[in-house]
């Protein structure tokens, strides 16, 4: 099964350890209370000398220290559990996002994913570090203390039994409301994050179309909605704390009144027993009251947990079908397909039963109208998405039968919008190939026409680029991508219309760079330029997901009317 689907919160062993520490904590509270009452009883009732209580004082100090240590260990387990689960959650989300096909990645909101990955995962910290330890503490300690009080004085135990349930009952009512409000808060934050990201990305268009003020108001309203959702949660938290204090004070007061009546008027209980109970009762209610605050935070965190689980269990297509059985050969890699079929879950479009075979060191052009399935086919051949049926074949074996890591080491993929990291130019060029020599790097820089650009930078290759540094033009980014591919020395290069929108000079540089690959590399590219198509060894013509023609340029001119019409239209254009 998929590793993401098998993913679970790591808490079982932690819960057992928390329960053990909670029992020890309950025993330390009882011992501490007993020693405290005994010392006071010896001094004020028995009127013993100070020397007679030295041992009890030492034991009381030790009991207090042990209690602090156990309490620390209890919540330390919670903190470690929180850390493990945050790491596990982020790892599972990364796997989920990684397995999501390319066409779906582009349709989902980046702001929402970022919010889930960062904010929602951070929100679960309180659940594991505070809520879980406190629930073990607040269920174990009151129960143990109640059993001790029951043995000493039945009436006091009965009063606690009648008053204590009001605290968890109130917490359940408040907790349900808190969880709902927390989910609403996360929804509002996701909307705000997505809207803010859209504004940053489209700020130029907003100015050109005079929509800045309108967008400013919309962004302000989204921010206000998030603020109101947050204030609603705080309101519930304050009300929760107040009501818990009232219930605890009433419970302690009733027990104290009943013990006073029994001690003074009926003399049915000793001073030692009454005082011992009065010391234990605040501890009883304190544990429940602490649970109230932790319960609120826990329910708030559960809203974040629900968001993470929704992200991990949604119905997006996932690509996890690599079998990792065979090693790829170091020599030539030949691509082919057998009845290749791919269907989108989100639309009616599909690639239908494609069959072809490419020899090594060939240049292959995939052409067709917009929406014909060119990029989808390129992603299938690159192993970025998995066929619905049929196979992509590499040296007569299914592509997914090979080891995934070895395959991606042998290919390079250049898109219209290459990824530029927020790092130095050197790190961007050597991305994925950190062992490259300085001599090879300089040679490739000259080959792709980047030398003049780099020489113009004061810091040369150490100049920081990307969002945090110097912005590169479209052509410069494409040259960086080409240089990466050269340094990687792949067996196959995939290109998705990399020259679209470039000026003639930059396009010529890139075309010359691509020709360098042809000497010892198979090139498979989505093409639209006439000269690129004519130079290809193999041409695949797609129309509405079907392969309607294949061959080289001369053969297709004589055998395919559709191809001839496309070439003629290209010449006229």
């Amino acid at each position: 099964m998929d590793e993401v689907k098998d993913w679970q919160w790591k808490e079982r062993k932690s819960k057992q350890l928390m329960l053990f520490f909670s029992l020890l904590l309950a025993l330390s509270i009882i011992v501490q209370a007993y020693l405290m009452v005994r010392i006071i009883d010896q001094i004020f009732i028995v009127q013993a000398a100070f020397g007679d209580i030295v041992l009890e004082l030492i034991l009381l100090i030790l009991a207090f220290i042990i209690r602090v240590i156990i309490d620390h260990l209890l919540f330390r387990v919670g903190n470690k559990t929180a850390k493990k689960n945050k790491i596990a959650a982020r790892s599972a989300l990364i796997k989920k996002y990684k397995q999501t096909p390319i066409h779906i990645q582009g349709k989902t909101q980046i702001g929402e994913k970022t919010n889930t990955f960062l904010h929602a995962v951070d929100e679960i910290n309180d659940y594991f570090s505070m809520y879980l330890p406190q629930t073990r503490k607040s269920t174990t300690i009151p129960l143990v203390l109640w059993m001790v009080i029951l043995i000493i004085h039945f009436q006091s135990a009965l009063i606690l039994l009648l008053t204590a349930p009001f605290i968890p009952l109130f917490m359940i009512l408040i907790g349900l409301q808190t969880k709902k409000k927390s989910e609403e808060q996360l929804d509002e934050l996701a909307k705000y994050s997505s809207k803010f990201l859209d504004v940053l990305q489209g700020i130029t268009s907003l100015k050109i179309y005079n929509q800045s003020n309108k967008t400013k108001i919309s962004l302000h309203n989204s921010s206000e909605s998030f603020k109101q959702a947050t204030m609603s949660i705080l309101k519930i938290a304050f009300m929760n704390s107040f009501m818990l204090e009232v219930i605890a004070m009433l419970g302690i007061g009733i027990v104290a009144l009943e013990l006073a009546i029994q001690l003074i008027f009926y003399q049915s209980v000793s001073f030692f027993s009454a005082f011992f109970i009065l010391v234990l009762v605040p501890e009883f209610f304190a544990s429940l009251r602490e649970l109230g605050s932790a319960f609120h935070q826990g329910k708030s965190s559960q809203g974040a947990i629900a968001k993470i689980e929704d992200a991990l269990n949604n119905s997006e297509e996932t690509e996890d079908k690599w079998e990792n059985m065979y090693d790829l050969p170091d020599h030539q890699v030949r691509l082919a397909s057998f009845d290749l079929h791919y269907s989108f879950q989100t639309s009616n479009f599909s690639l239908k039963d494609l069959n072809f075979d490419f020899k090594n060191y060939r240049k292959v052009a995939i052409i067709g109208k917009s929406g014909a399935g060119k990029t989808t086919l390129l992603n299938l051949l690159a192993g970025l998405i998995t066929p619905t049926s049929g196979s992509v074949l590499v040296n007569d074996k299914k592509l997914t039968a090979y080891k995934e890591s070895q395959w991606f080491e042998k290919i390079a993929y250049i898109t219209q919008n290459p990824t530029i990291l927020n790092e130095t130019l050197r790190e961007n060029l050597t991305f994925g190939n950190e062992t490259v020599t300085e001599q090879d790097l300089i040679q490739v820089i000259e080959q792709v026409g980047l030398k003049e650009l780099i020489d113009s930078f004061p810091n040369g290759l150490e100049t920081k680029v990307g969002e945090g540094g110097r912005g590169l033009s479209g052509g410069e980014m494409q040259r960086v991508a080409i240089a990466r591919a050269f340094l990687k020395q792949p067996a196959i290069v995939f290109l998705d219309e990399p020259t679209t929108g470039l000026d003639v000079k930059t396009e010529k540089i890139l075309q010359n760079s691509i020709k360098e690959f042809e000497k010892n590399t198979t090139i498979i590219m989505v093409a639209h330029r006439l000269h690129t198509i004519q130079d290809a060894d193999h041409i695949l013509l797609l129309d509405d997901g079907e392969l309607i023609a294949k061959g080289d340029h001369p053969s297709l001119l004589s055998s395919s009317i559709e191809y001839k019409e496309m070439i003629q239209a290209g010449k006229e254009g």
Side-chain angles (χ1 to χ4, degrees):
M1 288 182 68
D2 190 293
E3 291 181 36
V4 172
K5 293 179 182 177
D6 286 343
W7 178 81
Q8 294 179 346
W9 299 107
K10 304 176 186 300
E11 56 184 31
R12 180 178 295 180
K13 292 182 179 178
S14 299
K15 285 180 176 179
Q16 295 172 352
L17 196 56
M18 290 175 191
L19 181 61
F20 173 72
F21 283 129
S22 297
L23 285 170
L24 291 181
L25 192 58
L27 293 175
S28 68
I29 290 172
I30 294 169
V31 171
Q32 182 181 326
Y34 174 81
L35 291 170
M36 186 188 303
V37 172
R38 178 173 172 79
I39 290 169
I40 294 173
D41 182 68
Q42 288 291 312
I43 293 174
F44 295 101
I45 304 301
V46 180
Q47 295 184 344
F50 179 78
D52 296 332
I53 62 168
V54 171
L55 180 60
E56 283 87 348
L57 280 171
I58 294 172
L59 292 175
L60 178 62
I61 294 171
L62 286 175
F64 176 77
I65 294 172
I66 290 171
R67 177 180 176 178
V68 171
I69 292 172
I70 295 172
D71 195 51
H72 169 74
L73 291 174
L74 173 63
F75 284 93
R76 186 177 180 184
V77 172
N79 286 324
K80 285 188 174 182
T81 306
K83 183 178 179 181
K84 288 179 182 178
N85 278 289
K86 286 167 70 175
I87 292 172
R90 287 200 169 105
S91 297
L93 286 169
I94 288 173
K95 288 177 183 176
K96 178 69 177 181
Y97 296 157
K98 179 183 174 183
Q99 292 169 2
T100 303
I102 303 299
H103 65 278
I104 291 181
Q105 288 280 14
K107 294 179 181 179
T108 52
Q109 291 187 330
I110 300 299
E112 184 176 349
K113 286 186 175 181
T114 303
N115 177 57
T116 302
F117 187 78
L118 297 176
H119 183 75
V121 173
D122 281 337
E123 278 285 307
I124 69 175
N125 186 79
D126 287 345
Y127 178 81
F128 294 102
S129 65
M130 297 183 65
Y131 177 69
L132 277 185
Q134 192 60 54
T135 51
R136 295 297 170 272
K137 183 178 173 181
S138 297
T139 51
T140 305
I141 292 176
L143 180 61
V144 173
L145 297 185
W146 183 82
M147 292 174 65
V148 173
I149 294 170
L150 177 64
I151 294 171
I152 299 172
H153 194 244
F154 173 77
Q155 290 90 332
S156 296
L158 183 61
I159 293 171
L160 293 179
L161 191 62
L162 294 173
T163 56
F166 285 101
I167 292 179
L169 179 63
F170 185 77
M171 285 190 302
I172 290 171
L173 296 174
I174 293 294
L176 294 174
Q177 191 177 5
T178 301
K179 184 180 179 183
K180 181 182 177 183
K181 290 292 183 182
S182 176
E183 291 176 355
E184 291 175 1
Q185 182 203 31
L186 287 171
D187 285 336
E188 291 297 334
L189 181 59
K191 292 176 184 176
Y192 179 61
S193 300
S194 298
K195 189 179 290 293
F196 186 72
L197 185 61
D198 289 341
V199 169
L200 288 178
Q201 291 175 335
I203 195 165
T204 303
S205 299
L206 293 173
K207 287 184 177 181
I208 291 172
Y209 290 97
N210 197 25
Q211 295 295 303
S212 299
N213 290 332
K214 184 178 178 181
T215 305
K216 180 181 177 181
I217 294 170
S218 175
L219 195 61
H220 173 76
N221 292 337
S222 181
S223 174
E224 284 295 312
S225 297
F226 172 63
K227 184 179 78 174
Q228 292 299 326
T230 304
M231 294 305 294
S232 297
I233 294 178
L234 291 175
K235 180 181 177 182
I236 294 171
F238 290 136
M239 183 170 62
N240 182 34
S241 298
F242 173 74
M243 291 303 298
L244 291 176
E245 289 291 341
V246 170
I247 295 171
M249 287 174 62
L250 287 174
I252 294 171
I254 294 171
V255 172
L257 178 62
E258 189 272 337
L259 285 172
I261 293 172
Q262 294 289 336
L263 182 64
I264 297 172
F265 294 102
Y266 296 101
Q267 297 182 349
S268 60
V269 62
S270 65
F271 171 80
F272 183 92
S273 298
F275 192 26
F276 186 42
I277 293 171
L278 280 177
V279 173
L280 292 179
V281 168
E283 295 282 3
F284 176 89
F285 280 106
S287 296
L288 294 176
R289 192 168 62 246
E290 288 169 6
L291 178 61
S293 299
F295 192 81
H296 169 82
Q297 292 171 320
K299 285 301 176 182
S300 179
S301 297
Q302 284 181 334
I305 289 174
K307 287 290 178 186
I308 294 169
E309 290 177 342
D310 286 344
L312 292 173
N313 299 323
N314 65 21
S315 58
E316 288 182 348
E317 299 167 273
T318 56
E319 307 300 330
D320 62 334
K321 301 177 182 178
W322 287 85
E323 298 169 17
N324 295 301
M325 293 173 58
Y326 301 107
D327 289 315
L328 272 165
D330 292 329
H331 54 278
Q332 300 174 346
V333 176
R334 195 181 86 253
L335 266 180
S337 74
F338 175 74
D339 291 341
L340 187 62
H341 183 94
Y342 185 82
S343 298
F344 291 87
Q345 291 184 2
T346 53
S347 70
N348 294 324
F349 178 82
S350 62
L351 287 174
K352 309 173 187 72
D353 303 327
L354 308 184
N355 292 278
F356 46 78
D357 191 347
F358 306 142
K359 294 182 179 179
N360 297 301
Y361 308 147
R362 293 296 187 271
K363 183 178 179 181
V364 180
I366 303 172
I367 64 173
K369 299 175 183 177
S370 178
K374 303 186 294 296
T375 299
T376 301
L377 175 57
L378 199 68
N379 289 332
L380 282 166
L381 296 176
L384 297 176
I385 55 178
T386 306
T388 305
S389 62
S391 305
V392 174
L393 302 176
V394 176
N395 296 349
D396 299 324
K397 287 188 177 68
K398 285 172 57 179
L399 168 61
T400 51
Y402 291 102
K403 292 181 179 178
E404 181 182 11
S405 59
Q406 290 184 358
W407 169 250
F408 287 118
E409 284 175 3
K410 287 189 177 294
I411 70 169
Y413 196 114
I414 302 170
T415 66
Q416 296 178 36
N417 300 296
T419 299
I420 301 298
L421 305 176
N422 186 25
E423 301 292 348
T424 65
L425 191 54
R426 179 188 296 276
E427 288 169 312
N428 272 279
L429 289 167
T430 59
F431 180 59
N433 189 17
E434 289 77 10
T435 59
V436 64
T437 65
E438 191 72 15
Q439 182 179 354
D440 289 339
L441 181 59
I442 293 172
Q443 181 181 345
V444 168
I445 287 170
E446 292 177 349
Q447 204 168 8
V448 300
L450 279 173
K451 187 177 186 306
E452 185 178 344
L453 174 70
I454 294 172
D455 289 343
S456 68
F457 296 156
N459 296 323
L461 283 169
E462 307 310 319
T463 301
K464 198 165 187 180
V465 295
E467 290 187 10
R470 184 190 184 281
L472 299 177
S473 68
E476 290 165 351
M477 288 192 291
Q478 290 289 21
R479 283 182 248 179
V480 170
I482 293 284
R484 280 181 191 163
F486 268 123
L487 291 169
K488 191 176 184 181
Q489 297 181 337
I492 302 176
V493 177
F494 297 93
L495 300 106
D496 188 1
E497 297 185 306
T499 60
T500 301
L502 300 181
D503 60 81
V504 176
K505 180 181 178 182
T506 304
E507 183 182 350
K508 187 176 181 180
I509 293 172
L510 292 180
Q511 288 290 354
N512 290 334
S513 299
I514 291 170
K515 284 184 179 180
E516 291 294 324
F517 278 122
E518 298 177 22
K519 298 175 182 177
N520 54 9
T521 305
T522 297
I523 297 176
I524 303 175
M525 63 189 305
V526 173
H528 66 286
R529 302 287 194 193
L530 186 58
H531 60 82
T532 304
I533 297 170
Q534 292 174 333
D535 290 342
D537 300 303
H538 295 281
I539 301 169
L540 303 179
L541 176 57
L542 299 179
D543 185 28
D544 194 26
E546 295 185 359
L547 180 60
I548 60 173
K550 60 182 178 179
D552 59 15
H553 177 66
S555 64
L556 288 176
L557 277 177
S558 60
S559 64
S560 173
I561 297 174
E562 293 87 353
Y563 180 77
K564 190 174 181 178
E565 290 176 349
M566 182 175 288
I567 294 300
Q568 186 61 37
K571 288 179 179 179
E572 293 173 358

